[in-house]
Every structure is written in structure tokens, then in C-alpha cells.
Amino acid sequence: MTLENIAKGDPMAVYKQEGQTAMFVAITINNIKVAMYAFILGILFSVGTLYIMMRNGIMLGSFLYFFYDQDLLWESTRTIWIHGTIEISVIVIASCAGMVLGNGLLFPGTYTRLDSFKRSIKAGLKIMVSTIPFFIVAGFLEGFVTRHTEMPDWLAVLIIAASLFTIIYYYVIYPIILTKQNQQYEES
């Protein structure tokens, strides 16, 4: 199908085939499902989570290499990463939640294995819940924005950069700020 779309001059037409709302809902549900699998399969001592991450990484890499091989790497990258920046980031973060779950079983520390597992479930679920709004945003971008392959490059790059900044801020910078505030509060 993609080869046919390339021959027709619209290699990213796959994002235009379904209605916007239907695509938004289907993509959002699918991404949350993948994230839940990545989390829940962490119960298999993190191996299940690693499998999901590897499988999705191979799919994404193969997809991008296909476009590279067709001399369409820039067009595919600017199109896919409009929604993929958030989508792939939060799938990785959900996978980290699965690793937290599995590591609670593998490395109980000073807790009993059951207590460690309970703590890891709680910590992993907090991470998982934090990803859901991002999956909704990624689904919205894929359903309503990615299909506009005619948009100028600067706008696509702006959306990608804003998405990347949002993820980095929420999952890296903001926790550092909170940790520093908590340390200052405890010292006073």
C-alpha cells in the first residue's frame, strides 16, 4: 500500500485514509493498549517489557528504513514524529513502569518479595497514569494533524520540538524541580 502511495506521489497517504475522529480514537486506544502490555508484562521479571520494547523498536526502525530506502527519510521523519515524539516517548516511559514492576520482583532489597512487589505495582501505576493524557495528545496529533502532509516544514519541526520539550520538562525537569523543593522544605 505504501509503495502504491509513493507511486501516486503521496507517500504519507496512510494517515489520510480513515476519518479524523475514528483514527484519533483507534490510535489512542491502541497506544494505551501497547503501553499496558509493556507495563503488565513487566511481571515476567521485566523480560516481557523488554520484548515489547524490542518489538516496537524493530517495527519503527524498519518503517523508517523503508522510507530511507525510498529516498523519503525527511518527509517520513517530519510526518511521523509530529505524533511520534510524544507517542514513542510515553511508550518508553510505560515500559519503564513495566521495568519498575519487574524489578520489584527481582530486587526486593530489604523488603519481602511480596512487599517489594506491592510497592513496585504502586510506583508503576503512578507512572502509567501519567502517560494517559500524553497518549490522548499523541492520538489527537496523529488523527487530526499528521494527515496534513502539505504543512510547511517549519510548522512540523515546531510541533516536534514543542512535543519533545513538553516530554522532557514533565518527565525530567519538573521532577528535578520538585525534588529540590522537597529537599529545601525538609531542611527548613
Side-chain angles (χ1 to χ4, degrees), residues 86-107:
I86 293 176
E87 179 182 314
I88 299 304
S89 297
V90 289
I91 286 175
V92 169
I93 291 163
S95 297
C96 291
M99 299 295 285
V100 166
L101 181 64
N103 288 346
L105 284 169
L106 288 171
F107 309 109

Side-chain angles (χ1 to χ4, degrees), residues 103-122:
N103 288 346
L105 284 169
L106 288 171
F107 309 109
T110 58
Y111 298 101
T112 66
R113 199 163 300 278
L114 180 61
D115 285 341
S116 177
F117 181 59
K118 288 177 184 177
R119 293 171 64 89
S120 69
I121 289 172
K122 185 177 177 182

Side-chain angles (χ1 to χ4, degrees), residues 1 19 22 24 50 75 88 92 104 130 140 142 147 149 156 164 176:
M1 174 185 62
F24 161 62
L50 291 173
E75 185 171 349
I88 299 304
V92 169
S130 77
F140 175 83
E142 190 165 358
R147 68 180 52 241
T149 56
L164 183 61
I176 291 170

Side-chain angles (χ1 to χ4, degrees), residues 116-162:
S116 177
F117 181 59
K118 288 177 184 177
R119 293 171 64 89
S120 69
I121 289 172
K122 185 177 177 182
L125 281 173
K126 285 180 185 178
I127 297 168
M128 285 301 300
V129 168
S130 77
T131 65
I132 292 173
F134 289 107
F135 280 122
I136 293 169
V137 170
F140 175 83
L141 289 172
E142 190 165 358
F144 292 94
V145 180
T146 299
R147 68 180 52 241
H148 296 287
T149 56
E150 74 284 352
M151 82 171 65
D153 286 349
W154 68 265
L155 182 56
V157 170
L158 180 67
I159 293 168
I160 293 166

Side-chain angles (χ1 to χ4, degrees), residues 33-96:
K33 187 172 74 173
V34 169
M36 289 304 294
Y37 282 137
F39 173 63
I40 292 168
L41 290 177
I43 199 166
L44 301 174
F45 305 103
S46 298
V47 175
T49 297
L50 291 173
Y51 170 76
I52 295 291
M53 288 176 69
M54 185 178 74
R55 188 174 138 222
N56 281 279
I58 290 170
M59 282 191 311
L60 179 61
S62 298
F63 194 59
L64 288 173
Y65 182 79
F66 170 79
F67 284 110
Y68 166 79
D69 194 47
Q70 300 294 316
D71 293 323
L72 293 165
L73 183 61
W74 171 247
E75 185 171 349
S76 67
T77 299
R78 70 172 285 289
T79 302
I80 293 166
W81 290 102
I82 287 173
H83 65 274
T85 302
I86 293 176
E87 179 182 314
I88 299 304
S89 297
V90 289
I91 286 175
V92 169
I93 291 163
S95 297
C96 291

